[in-house]
Amino acid sequence: MTEQFELTEGGAVLMDGNRLRDEIVAELNAEITAAGGPEVCLATVLVGDDKPSRIYVRNKQRKAAEAAMLSRHVELGADAGQAEVEQAVGDLARDPGVHGILVQLPLPEGLDADAVLELIPPEKDVDGLTPRSMGRLVRGQRGHVPCTPLGVMRLLDRYGVAVSGRSAVVIGRSTLVGLPQVLLLGRKGVDATPTLAHSRTPGLQEVCRQADIVVAAAGMARLVTADFVKPGAAVIDVGISRTADGIVGDVDFETVQAVAGAVTPMPGGTGPMTIACLLQNTLAAARMLGAFPD
Ligand code: NAD
């Protein structure tokens, strides 16, 4: 029997990231428990006192514990220098008890994040953001894939959105989200035809309206309204903007859900999936390092 998905008021499939994250965390817990509970450890590094970053890191640790993983946390003050941050990350890189390393970005102004990320070995780069991981993604080699775009792919898959042969528009071209998203959608075996749209794309609305899948990762509150959406298209909201009304996504959920075939809520869509994929990458890292049975 085909699974019945929850629908929004407008009749779109609700791509519920909280639900899928919980399923993935439970699966990870079952897998680790069934293997006799070998230690799988995620290390997080937080520099400075950015409040949202602190919340993200805490959520990652909490979900790691639910997945039967260990977490290690290194916290440095906002006045930490480049050498101090590099020393901390280098120590984790050399520590055989640590399988995944996540440096919470952005780092405070004045610090060179690229130089810090360079210290993470590809096997432990569970955020998939280092040049070596990105190079592996481009070349189709085994490695860690950035968590947010990977979470988008998991949502499409879980909620039965057809991707092969479909057109997709990704709004945003950052190395964190937009670029890897385009690579993942266009990968052999996934086989969508992605378009990369950005702040200089003329006629964005028209471009989006041609697409079967829209992934919005611009960080512009409610940029994607119903006029951007082809009836029945899948619309995925990655953007997060802090406004006077609270946290708002790139997608105007109220109008879009009446036109789209499937849509993510915000919050509760791509955010929880980013954490779920981080934990999946951490287990994969333990495997790559020979600390977990294949
Ligand atoms: P970024 O600022 O590096 O990139 C934004 C991109 O959007 C740029 O490439 C820019 O060209 C494009 N853009 C900006 N305004 C646009 C417009 N009006 N029309 C078309 N394109 C436009 O940001 P990022 O790191 O890629 O993050 C994007 C958003 O996703 C942010 O809001 C961020 O907070 C959010 N984010 C969410 C998650 C999650 O888990 N849901 C994870 C990472 C980032």
Side-chain angles (χ1 to χ4, degrees):
M1 202 183 83
T2 327
E3 187 183 351
Q4 297 295 308
F5 297 125
E6 188 186 337
L7 301 182
T8 70
E9 276 175 19
V13 168
L14 186 74
M15 293 187 276
D16 183 343
N18 282 325
R19 180 178 163 177
L20 180 51
R21 177 212 47 213
D22 290 347
E23 289 173 9
I24 289 173
V25 168
E27 278 165 22
L28 290 168
N29 182 306
E31 209 174 336
I32 293 170
T33 308
E39 290 188 354
V40 176
C41 178
L42 170 67
T44 49
V45 179
L46 179 64
V47 187
D49 42 24
D50 181 53
K51 262 213 188 101
S53 293
R54 190 171 292 280
I55 295 169
Y56 294 146
V57 166
R58 200 185 311 135
N59 285 340
K60 286 164 186 170
Q61 291 167 338
R62 197 178 305 148
K63 291 297 160 190
E66 284 178 27
M69 292 182 185
L70 302 175
S71 46
R72 185 97 60 89
H73 183 55
V74 177
E75 196 161 328
L76 300 171
D79 55 355
Q82 184 74 24
E84 198 181 340
V85 179
E86 289 188 8
Q87 176 72 46
V89 173
D91 287 348
L92 294 170
R94 286 182 291 274
D95 188 333
V98 168
H99 307 109
I101 302 174
L102 174 117
V103 177
Q104 186 65 44
L105 300 175
L107 293 178
E109 229 167 280
L111 292 176
D112 179 352
D114 285 345
V116 173
L117 294 182
E118 287 275 4
L119 298 170
I120 304 175
E123 292 75 16
K124 295 191 180 189
D125 176 24
V126 285
D127 231 1
L129 295 179
T130 65
R132 280 188 287 179
S133 294
M134 293 297 263
R136 288 181 183 198
L137 177 59
V138 169
R139 297 178 66 96
Q141 294 168 343
R142 188 169 180 232
H144 296 299
V145 173
C147 303
T148 301
L150 184 58
V152 170
M153 302 308 293
R154 301 259 192 268
L155 279 168
L156 292 170
D157 183 50
R158 175 68 178 81
Y159 287 96
V161 175
V163 177
S164 176
R166 304 302 163 104
S167 59
V169 170
V170 177
I171 311 175
R173 55 182 161 190
S174 71
T175 46
L176 183 64
V177 190
L179 270 179
Q181 190 72 72
V182 163
L183 291 169
L184 289 174
L185 284 163
R187 250 183 178 182
K188 198 169 166 67
V190 177
D191 300 328
T193 303
T195 297
L196 178 55
H198 46 77
S199 52
R200 304 267 169 109
T201 299
L204 181 65
Q205 180 177 316
E206 256 321 297
V207 171
C208 288
R209 214 175 16 209
Q210 306 300 318
D212 300 308
I213 298 164
V214 175
V215 181
M220 295 285 293
R222 298 196 184 97
L223 171 71
V224 176
T225 56
D227 309 336
F228 282 58
V229 178
K230 174 160 121 179
V235 181
I236 290 142
D237 194 353
V238 176
I240 301 172
S241 301
R242 288 176 173 78
T243 70
D245 305 343
I247 291 178
V248 177
D250 281 3
V251 174
D252 183 30
F253 183 87
E254 284 312 316
T255 62
V256 165
Q257 54 100 18
V259 181
V263 64
T264 54
M266 171 59 77
T270 54
M273 286 309 299
T274 297
I275 298 184
C277 291
L278 174 73
L279 299 178
Q280 285 188 319
N281 283 352
T282 303
L283 184 59
R287 279 208 169 91
M288 286 180 202
L289 293 161
F292 195 88
D294 264 324

